[in-house]
Amino acid sequence: MTRTDDDSWDITESVGATALGVAMARARETAAESPLFTDRYAQLFLDAAAERGWRPPAGVMADRIRAIGNYAASRTKWFDEFFLAAGAAGIRQAVILAAGLDARVWRLPWVHDTVVFEIDQPQVLRFKQEVLAAHRVTATAGYVAVPVDLRQDWPEALRQAGFDPSRPTAWSVEGLLPYLPADAQHLLFERIDDLSARDSRIAVEAFSADFFSEEHLARRRERIEQMRAESAAAGEDMPDPDQLWFIEERDDVGSWLSEHRWEVSTLPADDLLARYHRPLPADTTEGTMLTDFVEGIRL
Ligand SMILES: C[S@@+](CC[C@H](N)C(=O)[O-])C[C@H]1O[C@@H](n2cnc3c(N)ncnc32)[C@H](O)[C@@H]1O
């Protein structure tokens, strides 16, 4: 499926289905012997999507999701810790951008009076709410869904939904940036910056600068072609991730935030994985992920 400037999707299609891929990883981690976190809702989403005709990735794709399981688990844990630390620092307003099937509003021990806004495509948020309501799951914070495309005027939609830009906010940008073109990423951070009162915090999963090196892009492309060939040989049809991603060199998130009055710390993915003792299998991933986990506090 080719991306367009105003494309939209349901949970089982195009970019929407990537949220199911992440939910698969969280369900698997939850069932592990020593999980980094527990997300009892991930499996509910997968079951509900299967009832709607979604078929979980099999074969080469399933192997790939398994291979990056430690990355996905470490990432979830890092964002969980970010929100808990923001609450402990007195922040009572949070915005989860491109929330997908993230169930933090239902599973984290939020400080009382916290309000969490979730932004994603309308059909994605509707699916999520329907599944949780069907299982009578109640939120552990005030929950406000803001169904809007992040390429549209989401700041206005957020304000209309009750967001207060004069209060410090905890923002998360997880699993989103590859799906935005470079200029849309730039606008996203300008808007976040405009809406952020002093002491706001942000957590971002960002491309590392090395991701865009010619050498890495060539190796990555080669690996994708190889996986697609293996998949075709097994009679499967593995979608090309580059049909959904925008491989465009873009602002370095840490530098951009530093230049806009944010105090920033950056943790390369490899260091995050080492922190949780969760290495990546070298045969399928080269043992590394070229992303950074960037945290900022608005000065
Ligand atoms: C890989 S999933 C990640 C979801 C969630 N952050 C997580 O980590 O589980 C990508 C999500 O980004 C959302 N998304 C991507 N582009 C978007 C856009 N332009 N507007 C709103 N949502 C978008 C998709 O709908 C999907 O839920």
Side-chain angles (χ1 to χ4, degrees):
M1 185 177 298
T2 309
R3 302 289 314 273
T4 57
D5 285 347
D6 59 353
D7 52 347
S8 66
W9 45 82
D10 202 341
I11 189 68
T12 54
E13 41 184 45
S14 180
V15 186
T18 66
L20 286 165
V22 190
M24 272 179 81
R26 283 197 289 264
R28 193 167 286 135
E29 179 67 15
T30 300
E33 200 174 323
S34 306
L36 284 178
F37 59 85
T38 300
D39 182 349
R40 288 180 289 124
Y41 309 118
Q43 189 61 50
L44 300 184
F45 296 131
L46 300 177
D47 294 344
E51 277 167 27
R52 295 184 187 199
W54 173 74
R55 291 286 155 262
V60 177
M61 272 294 280
D63 290 347
R64 173 72 188 158
I65 292 178
R66 248 190 306 277
I68 60 166
N70 278 347
Y71 176 82
S74 304
R75 175 177 102 170
T76 301
K77 178 78 174 165
W78 185 78
F79 279 94
D80 282 2
E81 288 176 343
F82 163 76
F83 280 119
L84 296 180
I91 297 182
R92 299 286 178 270
Q93 178 171 261
V95 181
I96 301 180
L97 295 159
L101 300 176
D102 173 338
R104 291 193 175 90
V105 186
W106 294 268
R107 67 179 180 80
L108 287 190
W110 298 93
V111 177
H112 56 85
D113 295 341
T114 303
V115 177
V116 185
F117 297 84
E118 283 198 333
I119 302 184
D120 206 302
Q121 288 263 347
Q123 297 182 85
V124 171
L125 291 183
R126 194 176 318 127
F127 169 80
K128 181 175 181 173
Q129 285 172 283
E130 282 172 8
V131 174
L132 293 169
H135 291 273
R136 298 183 203 292
V137 180
T138 48
T140 49
Y143 172 59
V144 185
V146 187
V148 63
D149 191 298
L150 284 161
R151 293 161 294 182
Q152 294 171 6
D153 190 359
W154 59 266
E156 182 53 27
L158 193 58
R159 278 201 200 87
Q160 295 275 338
F163 173 85
D164 180 355
S166 70
R167 300 173 65 200
T169 302
W171 302 90
S172 74
V173 182
E174 177 187 18
L176 167 63
L177 298 183
Y179 305 102
L180 294 180
D183 55 353
Q185 170 178 318
H186 184 82
L187 182 60
L188 183 89
F189 284 102
E190 277 189 341
R191 287 168 156 178
I192 292 173
D193 188 44
D194 277 353
L195 294 170
S196 292
R198 192 191 164 110
D199 295 329
S200 290
R201 295 183 176 213
I202 190 166
V204 186
E205 180 196 25
F207 287 112
S208 74
D210 291 344
F211 183 93
F212 295 102
S213 73
E214 248 178 64
E215 192 203 338
H216 174 255
L217 290 181
R219 258 191 325 197
R220 176 180 178 279
R221 195 60 234 162
E222 204 179 300
R223 202 157 6 104
I224 291 173
E225 294 302 345
Q226 191 189 334
M227 284 192 288
R228 295 193 76 213
E230 284 169 21
S231 178
E236 302 152 11
D237 178 24
M238 177 186 155
D240 185 342
D242 289 354
Q243 296 281 309
L244 302 180
W245 282 30
F246 290 91
I247 306 291
E248 295 177 6
E249 207 158 350
R250 52 201 56 222
D251 295 332
D252 177 78
V253 174
S255 311
W256 192 92
L257 289 170
S258 298
E259 287 157 15
H260 291 79
R261 284 188 293 137
W262 293 77
E263 189 181 276
V264 172
S265 59
T266 298
L267 184 67
D270 290 350
D271 293 355
L272 179 68
L273 292 158
R275 175 190 287 181
Y276 297 130
H277 309 289
R278 293 298 194 101
L280 285 170
D283 51 341
T284 43
T285 62
E286 297 164 0
T288 189
M289 292 289 267
L290 294 182
T291 54
D292 287 334
F293 289 82
V294 180
E295 224 173 324
I297 299 182
R298 184 73 151 87
L299 301 174

